[in-house]
Coordinates of all heavy atoms in Angstrom, one line a residue:
M87 N 0.3 17.1 -12.7 CA 1.0 16.9 -11.4 C 0.6 18.1 -10.5 O 0.6 19.3 -10.9 CB 2.5 16.9 -11.6 CG 3.0 15.7 -12.3 SD 3.1 14.3 -11.3 CE 4.8 14.6 -10.6
S88 N 0.4 17.8 -9.2 CA 0.2 18.9 -8.3 C 1.5 19.4 -7.7 O 2.5 18.7 -7.8 CB -0.7 18.4 -7.1 OG 0.0 17.5 -6.3
N89 N 1.5 20.6 -7.2 CA 2.7 21.1 -6.6 C 2.5 21.2 -5.0 O 3.1 22.0 -4.4 CB 3.2 22.4 -7.2 CG 2.0 23.4 -7.3 OD1 1.0 23.2 -6.6 ND2 2.2 24.4 -8.1
L90 N 1.6 20.3 -4.5 CA 1.5 20.2 -3.1 C 2.8 19.8 -2.5 O 3.5 18.9 -3.0 CB 0.4 19.2 -2.7 CG -1.0 19.6 -2.9 CD1 -1.9 18.3 -2.7 CD2 -1.4 20.6 -1.9
P91 N 3.1 20.3 -1.3 CA 4.3 19.7 -0.6 C 4.1 18.3 -0.2 O 3.0 17.9 0.1 CB 4.4 20.6 0.6 CG 3.1 21.2 0.8 CD 2.4 21.3 -0.5
N92 N 5.1 17.5 -0.3 CA 5.0 16.1 0.0 C 4.9 15.9 1.5 O 5.9 16.2 2.2 CB 6.2 15.3 -0.6 CG 6.1 13.8 -0.4 OD1 5.4 13.4 0.5 ND2 6.8 13.1 -1.2
P93 N 3.8 15.5 2.1 CA 3.7 15.4 3.5 C 4.5 14.2 4.1 O 4.5 14.0 5.3 CB 2.2 15.1 3.7 CG 1.7 14.6 2.5 CD 2.6 15.1 1.4
F94 N 5.1 13.4 3.2 CA 5.9 12.3 3.7 C 7.3 12.7 4.0 O 8.0 11.9 4.6 CB 5.9 11.2 2.6 CG 4.7 10.4 2.6 CD1 3.7 10.7 1.6 CD2 4.5 9.3 3.4 CE1 2.5 10.0 1.5 CE2 3.3 8.5 3.3 CZ 2.3 8.9 2.4
I95 N 7.7 13.9 3.5 CA 9.1 14.3 3.8 C 9.3 14.5 5.3 O 8.5 15.2 5.9 CB 9.4 15.6 3.0 CG1 9.3 15.3 1.5 CG2 10.8 16.1 3.4 CD1 9.6 16.5 0.6
S96 N 10.3 13.9 5.8 CA 10.5 14.0 7.3 C 11.1 15.3 7.6 O 11.6 16.0 6.8 CB 11.5 12.9 7.7 OG 12.7 13.1 7.1
P97 N 11.0 15.7 8.9 CA 11.6 17.0 9.4 C 13.0 17.2 9.0 O 13.5 18.3 8.8 CB 11.4 16.9 10.9 CG 10.3 16.0 11.1 CD 10.4 15.0 10.0
S98 N 13.7 16.1 8.8 CA 15.2 16.2 8.4 C 15.3 16.5 6.9 O 16.4 16.7 6.4 CB 15.9 14.9 8.8 OG 15.3 13.8 8.1
G99 N 14.2 16.5 6.2 CA 14.2 16.8 4.8 C 14.4 15.6 3.9 O 14.5 15.7 2.7
K100 N 14.4 14.4 4.4 CA 14.6 13.2 3.6 C 13.4 12.9 2.9 O 12.3 12.8 3.5 CB 15.0 12.0 4.5 CG 15.4 10.8 3.8 CD 15.6 9.6 4.8 CE 15.8 8.3 4.1 NZ 14.5 7.9 3.4
K101 N 13.5 12.7 1.6 CA 12.4 12.3 0.8 C 12.2 10.8 0.8 O 13.1 10.1 0.4 CB 12.6 12.8 -0.7 CG 11.3 13.1 -1.4 CD 11.5 13.8 -2.7 CE 10.2 13.9 -3.4 NZ 10.2 13.6 -4.8
P102 N 11.0 10.3 1.2 CA 10.8 8.9 1.2 C 10.6 8.3 -0.2 O 10.2 9.0 -1.1 CB 9.6 8.7 2.0 CG 8.8 10.0 1.8 CD 9.8 11.0 1.5
N103 N 11.0 7.0 -0.4 CA 10.7 6.4 -1.6 C 9.3 5.7 -1.6 O 8.6 5.8 -0.6 CB 11.8 5.4 -2.0 CG 11.9 4.3 -0.9 OD1 11.0 3.9 -0.3 ND2 13.2 3.8 -0.8
C104 N 8.9 5.1 -2.7 CA 7.6 4.5 -2.8 C 7.4 3.5 -1.7 O 6.3 3.5 -1.1 CB 7.5 3.9 -4.2 SG 7.2 5.1 -5.5
M105 N 8.3 2.6 -1.5 CA 8.2 1.5 -0.5 C 7.9 2.1 0.8 O 7.1 1.6 1.6 CB 9.4 0.6 -0.5 CG 9.4 -0.4 -1.6 SD 7.8 -1.3 -1.8 CE 7.7 -2.1 -0.2
E106 N 8.6 3.2 1.2 CA 8.4 3.7 2.5 C 7.1 4.4 2.7 O 6.4 4.2 3.7 CB 9.6 4.8 2.8 CG 10.9 4.1 3.0 CD 12.1 5.0 3.0 OE1 11.9 6.1 2.4 OE2 13.1 4.7 3.5
M107 N 6.6 5.0 1.6 CA 5.3 5.6 1.7 C 4.2 4.5 1.8 O 3.3 4.6 2.6 CB 5.0 6.5 0.4 CG 5.9 7.7 0.4 SD 5.3 8.9 -0.8 CE 5.8 8.2 -2.4
L108 N 4.4 3.5 1.0 CA 3.4 2.4 0.9 C 3.3 1.7 2.3 O 2.3 1.4 2.8 CB 3.9 1.4 -0.1 CG 2.9 0.4 -0.7 CD1 1.7 1.1 -1.2 CD2 3.6 -0.4 -1.8
Q109 N 4.5 1.6 2.9 CA 4.5 0.9 4.2 C 3.7 1.7 5.2 O 3.0 1.1 6.0 CB 6.0 0.8 4.6 CG 6.2 -0.4 5.6 CD 5.8 -1.7 4.9 OE1 6.2 -2.1 3.9 NE2 4.9 -2.4 5.6
L110 N 3.9 3.0 5.2 CA 3.1 3.8 6.2 C 1.6 3.7 6.0 O 0.9 3.5 6.9 CB 3.5 5.3 6.0 CG 4.7 5.8 6.8 CD1 4.9 7.3 6.4 CD2 4.4 5.7 8.3
I111 N 1.2 3.7 4.7 CA -0.2 3.6 4.4 C -0.7 2.2 4.8 O -1.8 2.2 5.4 CB -0.4 3.8 2.8 CG1 0.1 5.1 2.4 CG2 -1.8 3.5 2.4 CD1 -0.8 6.3 2.7
L112 N 0.0 1.2 4.4 CA -0.5 -0.2 4.7 C -0.5 -0.5 6.2 O -1.3 -1.2 6.7 CB 0.3 -1.2 3.9 CG 0.3 -1.1 2.4 CD1 1.1 -2.1 1.8 CD2 -1.2 -1.2 1.9
D113 N 0.4 0.1 6.9 CA 0.4 -0.1 8.4 C -0.6 0.8 9.1 O -0.8 0.6 10.3 CB 1.8 0.3 8.9 CG 2.9 -0.7 8.6 OD1 2.5 -1.8 8.1 OD2 4.1 -0.4 8.8
G114 N -1.3 1.7 8.3 CA -2.3 2.5 8.9 C -1.7 3.6 9.8 O -2.3 4.2 10.6
Q115 N -0.4 3.9 9.5 CA 0.3 5.0 10.3 C 0.3 6.3 9.6 O 0.8 7.3 10.2 CB 1.8 4.6 10.4 CG 2.1 3.2 11.0 CD 1.9 3.1 12.5 OE1 2.4 4.0 13.2 NE2 1.2 2.2 13.0
A116 N -0.2 6.4 8.4 CA -0.2 7.6 7.7 C -1.2 8.6 8.2 O -2.3 8.2 8.6 CB -0.4 7.4 6.2
T117 N -0.9 9.9 8.1 CA -1.9 10.9 8.5 C -2.9 11.1 7.3 O -2.7 10.6 6.2 CB -1.2 12.3 8.7 OG1 -0.6 12.7 7.5 CG2 -0.1 12.1 9.8
A118 N -3.9 11.9 7.6 CA -4.9 12.2 6.5 C -4.2 12.8 5.3 O -4.5 12.5 4.2 CB -6.0 13.1 7.1
D119 N -3.3 13.8 5.6 CA -2.6 14.4 4.5 C -1.8 13.5 3.7 O -1.8 13.5 2.4 CB -1.6 15.5 5.1 CG -2.3 16.8 5.4 OD1 -3.5 16.9 5.0 OD2 -1.6 17.7 5.9
Q120 N -1.1 12.5 4.4 CA -0.3 11.6 3.7 C -1.2 10.6 2.8 O -0.8 10.3 1.7 CB 0.5 10.8 4.7 CG 1.6 11.6 5.3 CD 2.3 10.9 6.4 OE1 1.8 10.1 7.1 NE2 3.6 11.3 6.6
S121 N -2.3 10.2 3.4 CA -3.2 9.3 2.6 C -3.7 10.0 1.4 O -3.7 9.4 0.3 CB -4.4 8.9 3.5 OG -4.0 8.3 4.7
E122 N -4.0 11.3 1.5 CA -4.5 12.0 0.4 C -3.5 12.2 -0.7 O -3.7 11.9 -1.9 CB -4.9 13.4 0.9 CG -6.0 14.1 0.1 CD -7.2 13.2 -0.3 OE1 -7.7 12.6 0.6 OE2 -7.5 13.2 -1.5
Y123 N -2.2 12.5 -0.3 CA -1.1 12.6 -1.2 C -0.8 11.3 -1.9 O -0.6 11.2 -3.1 CB 0.1 13.1 -0.4 CG 1.4 13.2 -1.3 CD1 1.6 14.5 -1.9 CD2 2.2 12.2 -1.5 CE1 2.8 14.6 -2.7 CE2 3.3 12.3 -2.4 CZ 3.6 13.5 -2.9 OH 4.7 13.7 -3.7
F124 N -0.9 10.2 -1.1 CA -0.6 8.9 -1.7 C -1.6 8.5 -2.8 O -1.3 7.9 -3.8 CB -0.5 7.9 -0.6 CG 0.1 6.6 -1.1 CD1 1.5 6.5 -1.3 CD2 -0.7 5.5 -1.3 CE1 2.0 5.3 -1.8 CE2 -0.1 4.3 -1.8 CZ 1.2 4.2 -2.0
K125 N -2.9 8.8 -2.5 CA -3.9 8.5 -3.5 C -3.6 9.2 -4.8 O -3.8 8.5 -5.9 CB -5.3 9.0 -3.0 CG -6.0 8.0 -2.1 CD -7.4 8.5 -1.7 CE -7.8 8.0 -0.4 NZ -8.8 8.8 0.3
T126 N -3.2 10.4 -4.8 CA -2.8 11.1 -6.0 C -1.6 10.5 -6.6 O -1.6 10.3 -7.9 CB -2.5 12.6 -5.7 OG1 -3.5 13.1 -4.9 CG2 -2.5 13.4 -7.0
H127 N -0.7 10.1 -5.8 CA 0.6 9.5 -6.3 C 0.3 8.2 -7.0 O 0.8 7.9 -8.1 CB 1.5 9.3 -5.1 CG 2.7 8.4 -5.4 ND1 3.8 8.9 -6.0 CD2 2.9 7.1 -5.2 CE1 4.7 8.0 -6.2 NE2 4.2 6.8 -5.7
M128 N -0.6 7.4 -6.5 CA -1.0 6.1 -7.0 C -1.5 6.2 -8.4 O -1.4 5.3 -9.3 CB -2.0 5.4 -6.2 CG -1.4 4.6 -5.1 SD -2.6 3.4 -4.4 CE -4.0 4.4 -3.9
D129 N -2.2 7.4 -8.7 CA -2.8 7.6 -10.0 C -1.8 7.5 -11.1 O -2.1 7.2 -12.3 CB -3.5 8.9 -10.1 CG -4.8 8.9 -9.3 OD1 -5.3 7.7 -9.0 OD2 -5.4 9.9 -9.0
H130 N -0.5 7.9 -10.8 CA 0.5 7.8 -11.9 C 1.7 7.0 -11.5 O 2.8 7.2 -12.1 CB 0.9 9.2 -12.4 CG 1.0 10.2 -11.2 ND1 2.2 10.3 -10.5 CD2 0.2 11.1 -10.7 CE1 2.0 11.2 -9.6 NE2 0.8 11.7 -9.7
C131 N 1.5 6.2 -10.5 CA 2.6 5.3 -10.1 C 2.1 3.9 -10.1 O 1.5 3.4 -9.1 CB 3.2 5.7 -8.8 SG 4.7 4.7 -8.3
M132 N 2.3 3.1 -11.2 CA 1.7 1.8 -11.3 C 2.2 0.8 -10.2 O 1.4 0.1 -9.6 CB 2.0 1.3 -12.7 CG 1.1 0.1 -13.2 SD -0.7 0.2 -12.6 CE -1.4 1.4 -13.7
P133 N 3.5 0.8 -9.9 CA 3.9 -0.2 -8.8 C 3.2 0.1 -7.5 O 2.9 -0.9 -6.8 CB 5.4 0.1 -8.7 CG 5.8 0.7 -10.0 CD 4.6 1.5 -10.5
C134 N 3.1 1.3 -7.1 CA 2.4 1.6 -5.9 C 0.9 1.2 -6.0 O 0.4 0.6 -5.0 CB 2.4 3.1 -5.6 SG 4.0 3.6 -4.8
F135 N 0.3 1.5 -7.1 CA -1.1 1.1 -7.2 C -1.3 -0.4 -7.1 O -2.2 -0.8 -6.4 CB -1.6 1.6 -8.6 CG -3.0 1.3 -8.9 CD1 -4.1 2.0 -8.3 CD2 -3.4 0.2 -9.7 CE1 -5.4 1.7 -8.5 CE2 -4.7 -0.1 -10.0 CZ -5.7 0.6 -9.4
K136 N -0.4 -1.1 -7.8 CA -0.6 -2.6 -7.7 C -0.3 -3.1 -6.4 O -1.0 -4.0 -5.9 CB 0.4 -3.2 -8.8 CG -0.1 -3.1 -10.2 CD 0.7 -4.0 -11.1 CE 0.1 -3.9 -12.5 NZ 0.9 -4.7 -13.5
S137 N 0.7 -2.6 -5.7 CA 1.0 -3.1 -4.4 C -0.1 -2.8 -3.4 O -0.4 -3.6 -2.6 CB 2.3 -2.5 -3.8 OG 3.3 -2.7 -4.7
Y138 N -0.7 -1.7 -3.6 CA -1.8 -1.3 -2.7 C -3.0 -2.2 -2.9 O -3.6 -2.7 -2.0 CB -2.1 0.2 -3.0 CG -3.2 0.8 -2.1 CD1 -2.9 1.2 -0.8 CD2 -4.5 0.9 -2.5 CE1 -3.9 1.7 0.0 CE2 -5.5 1.4 -1.7 CZ -5.2 1.8 -0.4 OH -6.2 2.2 0.4
Q139 N -3.3 -2.4 -4.2 CA -4.5 -3.2 -4.5 C -4.2 -4.6 -4.0 O -5.1 -5.3 -3.5 CB -4.7 -3.2 -6.0 CG -5.2 -1.9 -6.6 CD -6.5 -1.5 -6.0 OE1 -7.4 -2.3 -5.8 NE2 -6.6 -0.2 -5.8
L140 N -3.0 -5.1 -4.2 CA -2.7 -6.4 -3.7 C -2.8 -6.6 -2.2 O -3.5 -7.6 -1.8 CB -1.2 -6.7 -4.1 CG -0.6 -8.1 -3.9 CD1 -1.4 -9.1 -4.6 CD2 0.8 -8.2 -4.2
D141 N -2.3 -5.7 -1.5 CA -2.4 -5.7 -0.1 C -3.9 -5.7 0.4 O -4.3 -6.4 1.3 CB -1.6 -4.6 0.6 CG -1.3 -4.9 2.0 OD1 -0.3 -5.6 2.2 OD2 -2.1 -4.5 2.9
M142 N -4.7 -4.8 -0.2 CA -6.1 -4.7 0.2 C -6.8 -6.0 -0.1 O -7.6 -6.4 0.7 CB -6.7 -3.5 -0.6 CG -6.3 -2.2 -0.1 SD -6.7 -1.9 1.6 CE -5.2 -1.2 2.2
S143 N -6.5 -6.6 -1.3 CA -7.1 -7.9 -1.6 C -6.8 -9.0 -0.6 O -7.7 -9.7 -0.2 CB -6.7 -8.4 -3.0 OG -6.7 -7.3 -3.9
I144 N -5.6 -9.0 -0.2 CA -5.1 -10.0 0.8 C -5.8 -9.8 2.1 O -6.4 -10.7 2.7 CB -3.6 -9.9 1.0 CG1 -2.9 -10.4 -0.3 CG2 -3.2 -10.8 2.2 CD1 -1.5 -10.1 -0.4
K145 N -5.9 -8.5 2.6 CA -6.5 -8.3 3.8 C -8.0 -8.7 3.8 O -8.6 -9.2 4.7 CB -6.4 -6.8 4.2 CG -5.0 -6.5 4.7 CD -4.9 -5.1 5.2 CE -3.5 -4.9 5.8 NZ -3.0 -3.6 5.5
E146 N -8.6 -8.4 2.6 CA -10.0 -8.7 2.5 C -10.2 -10.2 2.5 O -11.1 -10.7 3.2 CB -10.5 -8.1 1.1 CG -12.0 -8.2 0.9 CD -12.8 -7.5 1.9 OE1 -12.3 -6.5 2.4 OE2 -13.9 -8.0 2.2
L147 N -9.4 -10.9 1.8 CA -9.4 -12.4 1.8 C -9.3 -13.0 3.2 O -10.0 -13.9 3.6 CB -8.3 -12.9 0.9 CG -8.6 -13.3 -0.5 CD1 -7.4 -13.8 -1.3 CD2 -9.7 -14.4 -0.6
L148 N -8.3 -12.5 3.9 CA -8.0 -13.0 5.2 C -9.2 -12.7 6.1 O -9.5 -13.6 7.0 CB -6.7 -12.4 5.8 CG -5.4 -12.8 5.0 CD1 -4.2 -12.1 5.7 CD2 -5.3 -14.3 5.0
R149 N -9.8 -11.6 5.9 CA -10.9 -11.2 6.8 C -12.1 -12.2 6.6 O -12.7 -12.6 7.5 CB -11.3 -9.8 6.5 CG -12.1 -9.2 7.7 CD -12.1 -7.7 7.7 NE -12.4 -7.1 6.4 CZ -11.6 -6.2 5.8 NH1 -10.6 -5.7 6.4 NH2 -11.9 -5.8 4.6
T150 N -12.3 -12.5 5.3 CA -13.5 -13.3 5.0 C -13.2 -14.8 5.2 O -14.1 -15.5 5.6 CB -14.0 -13.1 3.6 OG1 -12.8 -13.2 2.7 CG2 -14.6 -11.7 3.4
K151 N -11.9 -15.2 5.0 CA -11.6 -16.6 5.1 C -11.1 -17.1 6.4 O -11.2 -18.2 6.8 CB -10.6 -17.0 4.0 CG -11.2 -17.0 2.6 CD -10.4 -17.8 1.7 CE -10.7 -17.5 0.2 NZ -12.0 -18.1 -0.2
C152 N -10.5 -16.2 7.2 CA -9.8 -16.6 8.4 C -10.4 -16.0 9.6 O -9.7 -16.0 10.7 CB -8.3 -16.3 8.3 SG -7.5 -17.0 6.9
C153 N -11.5 -15.4 9.5 CA -12.2 -14.8 10.7 C -11.4 -13.8 11.5 O -11.5 -13.7 12.7 CB -12.6 -15.9 11.7 SG -13.5 -17.3 10.9
G154 N -10.5 -13.1 10.8 CA -9.7 -12.1 11.4 C -8.5 -12.6 12.2 O -7.8 -11.8 12.8
G155 N -8.3 -13.9 12.3 CA -7.2 -14.4 13.1 C -5.9 -14.3 12.3 O -5.9 -13.9 11.2
D156 N -4.8 -14.6 13.0 CA -3.5 -14.5 12.3 C -3.4 -15.7 11.3 O -3.5 -16.8 11.7 CB -2.4 -14.6 13.4 CG -2.2 -13.3 14.1 OD1 -2.6 -12.3 13.5 OD2 -1.7 -13.3 15.2
A157 N -3.1 -15.3 10.1 CA -2.9 -16.3 9.1 C -1.4 -16.7 9.0 O -0.6 -15.8 9.2 CB -3.4 -15.8 7.7
P158 N -1.1 -18.0 8.8 CA 0.3 -18.3 8.6 C 0.9 -17.6 7.4 O 0.2 -17.5 6.4 CB 0.2 -19.8 8.4 CG -1.2 -20.2 8.1 CD -2.1 -19.1 8.7
S159 N 2.1 -17.2 7.5 CA 2.7 -16.4 6.5 C 2.8 -17.2 5.2 O 2.8 -16.7 4.1 CB 4.1 -15.9 6.9 OG 4.9 -16.9 7.2
E160 N 2.9 -18.5 5.3 CA 2.9 -19.4 4.2 C 1.7 -19.2 3.3 O 1.7 -19.1 2.1 CB 3.0 -20.8 4.7 CG 3.6 -21.8 3.7 CD 3.7 -23.2 4.3 OE1 4.2 -23.3 5.4 OE2 3.1 -24.1 3.7
L161 N 0.5 -19.1 4.0 CA -0.8 -18.9 3.3 C -0.8 -17.6 2.7 O -1.3 -17.4 1.6 CB -1.9 -19.1 4.3 CG -3.3 -18.8 3.8 CD1 -3.7 -19.8 2.8 CD2 -4.3 -18.8 4.9
V162 N -0.4 -16.5 3.4 CA -0.3 -15.2 2.9 C 0.5 -15.1 1.6 O 0.0 -14.6 0.6 CB 0.2 -14.2 3.9 CG1 0.3 -12.8 3.3 CG2 -0.7 -14.2 5.2
N163 N 1.6 -15.7 1.6 CA 2.5 -15.7 0.4 C 1.8 -16.4 -0.7 O 2.0 -16.0 -1.9 CB 3.9 -16.4 0.7 CG 4.7 -15.5 1.6 OD1 4.5 -14.3 1.6 ND2 5.6 -16.0 2.4
K164 N 1.1 -17.5 -0.4 CA 0.5 -18.3 -1.5 C -0.6 -17.4 -2.1 O -0.7 -17.4 -3.3 CB -0.2 -19.6 -0.8 CG -0.4 -20.7 -1.8 CD -0.8 -21.9 -1.1 CE -1.6 -22.8 -2.0 NZ -2.4 -23.9 -1.3
I165 N -1.4 -16.8 -1.3 CA -2.5 -15.9 -1.8 C -1.8 -14.8 -2.6 O -2.3 -14.4 -3.7 CB -3.3 -15.3 -0.6 CG1 -4.0 -16.5 0.1 CG2 -4.3 -14.3 -1.1 CD1 -4.7 -16.0 1.4
K166 N -0.8 -14.2 -2.1 CA -0.1 -13.1 -2.8 C 0.3 -13.5 -4.2 O 0.1 -12.7 -5.1 CB 1.2 -12.6 -2.0 CG 0.9 -11.5 -1.1 CD 2.3 -11.0 -0.5 CE 2.0 -10.0 0.6 NZ 3.2 -9.5 1.2
S167 N 0.9 -14.6 -4.3 CA 1.4 -15.0 -5.6 C 0.2 -15.3 -6.6 O 0.3 -15.0 -7.7 CB 2.3 -16.2 -5.6 OG 1.7 -17.3 -5.1
Q168 N -0.9 -15.8 -6.0 CA -2.0 -16.1 -6.8 C -2.6 -14.8 -7.3 O -3.0 -14.7 -8.5 CB -3.1 -16.9 -6.0 CG -2.8 -18.4 -6.0 CD -3.8 -19.1 -5.1 OE1 -4.8 -18.6 -4.7 NE2 -3.5 -20.4 -4.9
I169 N -2.8 -13.8 -6.4 CA -3.3 -12.6 -6.8 C -2.4 -11.8 -7.8 O -2.9 -11.3 -8.8 CB -3.6 -11.7 -5.6 CG1 -4.6 -12.3 -4.7 CG2 -4.1 -10.3 -6.0 CD1 -4.9 -11.6 -3.4
A170 N -1.1 -11.9 -7.6 CA -0.2 -11.2 -8.4 C -0.3 -11.7 -9.9 O -0.2 -10.9 -10.8 CB 1.2 -11.4 -8.0
Q171 N -0.7 -12.9 -10.1 CA -0.8 -13.5 -11.4 C -2.1 -12.9 -12.1 O -2.2 -13.0 -13.3 CB -0.9 -15.0 -11.4 CG 0.4 -15.6 -11.1 CD 0.3 -17.1 -10.8 OE1 -0.7 -17.7 -10.9 NE2 1.4 -17.7 -10.2
N172 N -3.0 -12.5 -11.3 CA -4.3 -12.0 -11.8 C -4.4 -10.5 -12.1 O -5.3 -10.1 -12.6 CB -5.5 -12.4 -10.9 CG -5.6 -13.9 -10.8 OD1 -5.5 -14.6 -11.8 ND2 -6.0 -14.4 -9.6
I173 N -3.4 -9.8 -11.6 CA -3.4 -8.4 -11.8 C -3.0 -8.0 -13.2 O -2.1 -8.6 -13.8 CB -2.4 -7.7 -10.8 CG1 -3.0 -7.8 -9.4 CG2 -2.2 -6.2 -11.2 CD1 -2.2 -7.1 -8.4
Ligands
ZN300 ZN1 5.0 5.1 -6.1

C-alpha cells in the first residue's frame, strides 16, 4: 500500500467511497492525479476493477456497433448483463 494522499478527498475533508471515485473516472472528470491513484486502488479493489472493465467493454462495444450514436439504455443494460456473466 502506498501512503500517497488520496487526491479524491474533497477540500471539506470528506473521503469518497469507491462508487464516487469510479463515477469521476468513468465520466472523464478525474484529474491526472486521481486517475493515477485510482489505477493503484483498482489493483487491490476487485469491485472497482470489475466495474471499470465492464464500463470500458460497454463503451468499446457501443463505439464499434453503434457508430458512436446514443444507444438505447435497454440495449446498454442487455450488454451489461451479458458481459457481467463473462467476467
Ligand atoms: Zn474500490
